[in-house]
Amino acid sequence: MDTSFIAQEVARLRANTPLVHCIINSVVTGFTANVLLASGAAPAMVDCAGEAGPFARVASALLINVGTPSIEQRAATFEAVQSAREAGTPWVLDPVGVGAALPVRTQECATLIGLRPTVIRGNASEILTLAGISEGGRGMESADSVEVAQEAARSLAQSSGAVVAVSGPVDYLTDGQREFSVANGSTFFTQVTGSGCALGTLMAAFQAGSADLLLSAVAANVFYTVAGEKAATQAAGPGSFAVALLDNLCALSPEEALKAARVS
Amino acid sequence: MDTSFIAQEVARLRANTPLVHCIINSVVTGFTANVLLASGAAPAMVDCAGEAGPFARVASALLINVGTPSIEQRAATFEAVQSAREAGTPWVLDPVGVGAALPVRTQECATLIGLRPTVIRGNASEILTLAGISEGGRGMESADSVEVAQEAARSLAQSSGAVVAVSGPVDYLTDGQREFSVANGSTFFTQVTGSGCALGTLMAAFQAGSADLLLSAVAANVFYTVAGEKAATQAAGPGSFAVALLDNLCALSPEEALKAARVS
Amino acid sequence: MDTSFIAQEVARLRANTPLVHCIINSVVTGFTANVLLASGAAPAMVDCAGEAGPFARVASALLINVGTPSIEQRAATFEAVQSAREAGTPWVLDPVGVGAALPVRTQECATLIGLRPTVIRGNASEILTLAGISEGGRGMESADSVEVAQEAARSLAQSSGAVVAVSGPVDYLTDGQREFSVANGSTFFTQVTGSGCALGTLMAAFQAGSADLLLSAVAANVFYTVAGEKAATQAAGPGSFAVALLDNLCALSPEEALKAARVS
């Protein structure tokens, strides 16, 4: 397989500094903004009703993460998505925690999928829930394996028109026709809050100006998990891992990301 | 005194990975989630009205921290507490900043204490205020010593039915009959925002499935402050201390926590 | 120029531990609280309507940062500012992201400037926008140079009565008559979210009890950027820079800040 697109996509991100409009849960705002800054994007966490609509018109990409769906943030979400659709701006949906125990976000995501996100990124339980197969994970954590969710991901991609990315020990991405697996990563990711959310924001950054949405999502996934692999070799635990992850996202060159990629 | 329960409680936490539902102030969401993850628990910051009630029914324990009591978070709090009571789930109250200058949370805490939390954790000024003896600290910081608050803690434990934990240079915990002091810790804790809040979330994690609420709270306190002692030896300041704290919470074994405990 | 005030102001901060009331965007609450704690101030993030008014009466200084202007935070802001004005408490306005694409905060800032903040701190695009000369930056980032904004800063200082601080590679501060440039800093600051916001909170801390608002703002700026310079020498990237910044803010002595100052 020709994986040279990985280096090209990382170089494109660094050259363009995309302005990424994020509406994201209150737990991970700071960490995910720092991931975007370290990687070479410009984050803007704009989740106020009356601003989210106008701002999505000028942003390069939009990220909707439903992890803490307050009333005002939900209003901002629909404003922003409408603007993104009108402007032809790519937008990513991160359905954090959808399932029977969290009904507000679950209903919100059902509506959002009908508004045609360009990427949907979640863990296996979230993707199975969106596909109508599961009732949800254990809180924010997956109770299912990525392998089990692959069929659901293809089905969801076909019905929604989105690229679907399933995150786990080996990540799986599909547009309903083509499919990729990414084997890079570190178990430390599971011990840092927002590590999945940050991958969603990076996918939004890579979607900006993309010529192939699936390849851009795969490149974002490789870039992030390779940086995590390097960080893990420098870390004494999850605290120092999160710090080293930011350092490595900043330092990682397109060529290094390509060379370390384990994509099939 | 037989302190072997400390090792047993830490081992129990690691074996069970309790799902800890947190409704917590907006300053410390990320840090406290990372403390729970590093320690071996599964955090879920669910503070949206309409979700907090259903979610508290499936969580292993609940933490209510009133540090930024927005209208929506207050509604979520009462939903969650009602579910926890119905389900028999233990819940911890952290009365951040109660006192005359912060009337909304002070009124909220007065109501919450009547709903019978299983643990109340605060600094000396907060405990004195809840017991009706003080008018509050200086902002979020204590203006009183732990020693002065011991009598108030016993009285509050007896009237509320909760374990009461007073945090400071030497921590004090009581159920109104028995009492413990924990002398572990580091002055760096006072220079990291959310370090007290994180202890409250850990107490909730240790309450899940506990056979003795006071011993579980003492074990949480020892585990956290011993990890802080170890972190302090590796830190150049409060920034590197917070990072090392997460690393040490992850690495600390039940036996190490027991061996380093300074409990009386 | 006699710059001995820099050491005096840092020593005064450390001696007084000012209680800094912050109403600040949800992205940077934790980081900015840690910057204040590391520097020697006591942060209190009180942004709940019904509490912000009473609390501003007892605080040493107030910081208003409009980066995520939710409905409830806007109500809290006006409560707090009114109390600060009545009590004669200094207050800092940080107009994060003002401009045509973010109309809610832009309207809010227009009203707030009429309530006479003691300091206004922003990047060049924000200051140009407040002075009516620009339509805003690119999201939260400046699209203009500090040099271009100097005339606007003087004009804004004269019309508003505030000290105006423009942050960038070389910072510029003026009260409309006198002016200072501060050449300390590090490019790492641009890769850490909230690094500008944290400078605003420190300016509030230095304003408390100040005999000369401009000199206090300059001292805050020097103190913060010198700590950043030292941190940059110890950092491998933006993650370790942010950690080292906190360590250096805690360790930096008044004399070291004075010695390293590059003020003109």
Side-chain angles (χ1 to χ4, degrees):
Chain A
M1 180 175 29
D2 179 6
T3 55
S4 60
F5 69 91
I6 293 169
Q8 293 159 8
E9 289 288 292
V10 175
R12 192 173 61 83
L13 176 85
R14 293 268 170 70
N16 293 345
T17 317
L19 179 59
V20 184
H21 179 181
C22 300
I23 299 181
I24 193 161
N25 74 73
S26 58
V27 185
V28 305
T29 45
F31 178 66
T32 54
N34 280 330
V35 164
L36 287 171
L37 285 168
S39 301
M45 273 56 186
V46 177
D47 63 355
C48 160
E51 289 195 339
F55 195 77
R57 276 188 201 97
V58 303
S60 315
L62 173 66
L63 176 280
I64 303 293
N65 172 304
V66 302
T68 52
S70 67
I71 293 168
E72 193 165 2
Q73 209 179 64
R74 297 202 300 274
T77 292
F78 287 100
E79 265 189 29
V81 168
Q82 186 173 333
S83 288
R85 283 161 59 89
E86 290 169 7
T89 303
W91 67 284
V92 174
L93 173 63
D94 193 331
V96 180
V98 285
L102 294 164
V104 172
R105 71 191 69 192
T106 302
Q107 175 59 43
E108 183 186 12
C109 283
T111 307
L112 286 168
I113 286 176
L115 299 173
R116 300 189 71 82
T118 42
V119 176
I120 302 170
R121 189 218 69 84
N123 64 36
S125 290
E126 290 158 356
I127 299 304
L128 285 164
T129 302
L130 293 183
I133 295 165
S134 161
E135 297 222 317
R138 184 166 181 265
M140 308 308 147
E141 299 187 355
S142 185
D144 301 283
S145 74
V146 172
E147 290 69 28
V148 167
Q150 292 188 1
E151 178 61 32
R154 282 190 295 273
S155 165
L156 180 62
Q158 288 161 4
S159 65
S160 69
V163 168
V164 175
V166 190
S167 302
V170 175
D171 306 307
Y172 175 81
L173 300 96
T174 181
D175 61 2
Q177 309 297 326
R178 298 171 294 169
E179 58 185 5
F180 290 86
S181 288
V182 179
N184 300 98
S186 161
T187 56
F188 277 130
F189 277 121
T190 63
Q191 295 180 300
V192 175
T193 194
S195 59
C197 304
L199 174 55
T201 66
L202 269 179
M203 285 187 179
F206 278 77
Q207 292 292 302
S210 166
D212 185 320
L213 299 177
L214 178 58
L215 295 189
S216 295
V218 171
N221 209 320
V222 168
F223 172 70
Y224 183 65
T225 51
V226 165
E229 272 179 13
K230 292 183 181 284
T233 67
Q234 303 157 4
S240 47
F241 172 75
V243 172
L245 176 63
L246 294 171
D247 287 352
N248 280 280
L249 286 167
C250 186
L252 191 66
S253 72
E255 295 71 30
E256 287 170 316
L258 172 57
K259 190 174 171 192
R262 287 185 280 145
V263 174
S264 59
Chain B
M1 180 174 32
D2 178 7
T3 56
S4 59
F5 69 91
I6 293 168
Q8 293 159 9
E9 288 289 291
V10 174
R12 192 172 61 82
L13 177 84
R14 293 267 170 71
N16 292 344
T17 318
L19 179 60
V20 184
H21 179 183
C22 299
I23 298 181
I24 193 161
N25 75 73
S26 59
V27 185
V28 304
T29 45
F31 177 66
T32 54
N34 280 329
V35 164
L36 287 171
L37 284 168
S39 302
M45 272 56 187
V46 177
D47 63 356
C48 160
E51 289 195 339
F55 195 76
R57 276 189 200 97
V58 303
S60 315
L62 173 65
L63 177 279
I64 302 293
N65 173 304
V66 301
T68 53
S70 67
I71 293 168
E72 193 165 1
Q73 209 180 63
R74 296 203 299 275
T77 292
F78 287 101
E79 263 189 30
V81 167
Q82 185 173 335
S83 288
R85 283 161 58 88
E86 290 169 7
T89 303
W91 66 284
V92 174
L93 174 63
D94 193 330
V96 180
V98 286
L102 293 165
V104 172
R105 72 191 68 192
T106 302
Q107 175 60 42
E108 183 186 11
C109 283
T111 306
L112 286 168
I113 286 176
L115 298 174
R116 302 190 70 82
T118 42
V119 176
I120 302 169
R121 188 218 68 84
N123 64 35
S125 290
E126 290 158 356
I127 299 303
L128 285 164
T129 302
L130 293 183
I133 294 165
S134 161
E135 297 221 318
R138 184 168 180 265
M140 308 308 147
E141 300 188 353
S142 185
D144 301 282
S145 74
V146 172
E147 291 70 28
V148 167
Q150 292 188 0
E151 177 61 32
R154 282 190 296 273
S155 163
L156 180 61
Q158 288 161 3
S159 64
S160 70
V163 167
V164 175
V166 190
S167 302
V170 175
D171 307 307
Y172 175 81
L173 301 97
T174 182
D175 61 2
Q177 309 298 326
R178 298 172 293 170
E179 58 185 4
F180 290 86
S181 289
V182 179
N184 299 99
S186 161
T187 56
F188 277 130
F189 277 121
T190 63
Q191 295 180 300
V192 175
T193 194
S195 60
C197 303
L199 174 54
T201 65
L202 269 180
M203 286 187 179
F206 277 77
Q207 292 292 302
S210 165
D212 185 320
L213 299 177
L214 178 58
L215 296 188
S216 295
V218 171
N221 209 321
V222 168
F223 173 69
Y224 184 64
T225 51
V226 166
E229 271 179 12
K230 292 182 180 285
T233 66
Q234 303 157 4
S240 47
F241 172 74
V243 173
L245 175 63
L246 294 171
D247 287 353
N248 280 280
L249 286 167
C250 186
L252 191 65
S253 71
E255 295 70 29
E256 287 170 315
L258 172 57
K259 189 175 171 192
R262 288 185 279 143
V263 175
S264 58
Chain C
M1 179 174 30
D2 179 7
T3 55
S4 59
F5 69 91
I6 293 168
Q8 292 159 9
E9 288 288 292
V10 175
R12 192 172 61 82
L13 177 85
R14 294 267 170 70
N16 292 345
T17 317
L19 179 60
V20 184
H21 178 182
C22 299
I23 298 181
I24 193 160
N25 74 73
S26 59
V27 184
V28 304
T29 45
F31 178 66
T32 55
N34 280 330
V35 164
L36 287 172
L37 284 168
S39 302
M45 274 55 187
V46 176
D47 63 355
C48 160
E51 289 195 338
F55 195 76
R57 276 189 201 97
V58 303
S60 315
L62 173 66
L63 176 280
I64 302 293
N65 172 305
V66 302
T68 51
S70 67
I71 293 168
E72 193 165 2
Q73 209 179 64
R74 298 203 299 275
T77 292
F78 287 100
E79 263 188 30
V81 168
Q82 185 173 333
S83 288
R85 283 162 59 88
E86 290 170 6
T89 304
W91 67 283
V92 175
L93 174 63
D94 193 330
V96 180
V98 286
L102 294 164
V104 172
R105 70 192 70 192
T106 302
Q107 176 59 42
E108 182 186 11
C109 283
T111 307
L112 286 169
I113 286 176
L115 298 174
R116 302 188 71 81
T118 42
V119 176
I120 302 169
R121 189 218 69 86
N123 65 35
S125 290
E126 290 157 356
I127 299 303
L128 285 163
T129 302
L130 292 183
I133 293 164
S134 162
E135 296 220 320
R138 183 167 181 266
M140 309 308 147
E141 299 187 354
S142 186
D144 301 283
S145 74
V146 172
E147 291 68 30
V148 167
Q150 292 188 2
E151 177 60 33
R154 282 190 295 274
S155 165
L156 180 62
Q158 288 161 3
S159 65
S160 70
V163 169
V164 175
V166 190
S167 303
V170 175
D171 308 306
Y172 175 80
L173 301 96
T174 181
D175 61 2
Q177 309 298 326
R178 298 172 293 169
E179 58 184 6
F180 290 86
S181 289
V182 179
N184 300 99
S186 161
T187 56
F188 277 130
F189 277 121
T190 64
Q191 295 180 300
V192 175
T193 195
S195 60
C197 303
L199 175 54
T201 64
L202 268 180
M203 286 187 179
F206 278 77
Q207 293 291 303
S210 166
D212 185 319
L213 299 176
L214 178 58
L215 296 189
S216 295
V218 171
N221 209 321
V222 169
F223 173 69
Y224 184 65
T225 51
V226 166
E229 271 179 14
K230 292 182 180 285
T233 66
Q234 303 157 4
S240 47
F241 172 74
V243 172
L245 176 62
L246 294 171
D247 287 353
N248 280 280
L249 286 167
C250 186
L252 191 65
S253 71
E255 295 70 29
E256 287 171 316
L258 172 57
K259 190 175 171 191
R262 287 184 280 143
V263 174
S264 58

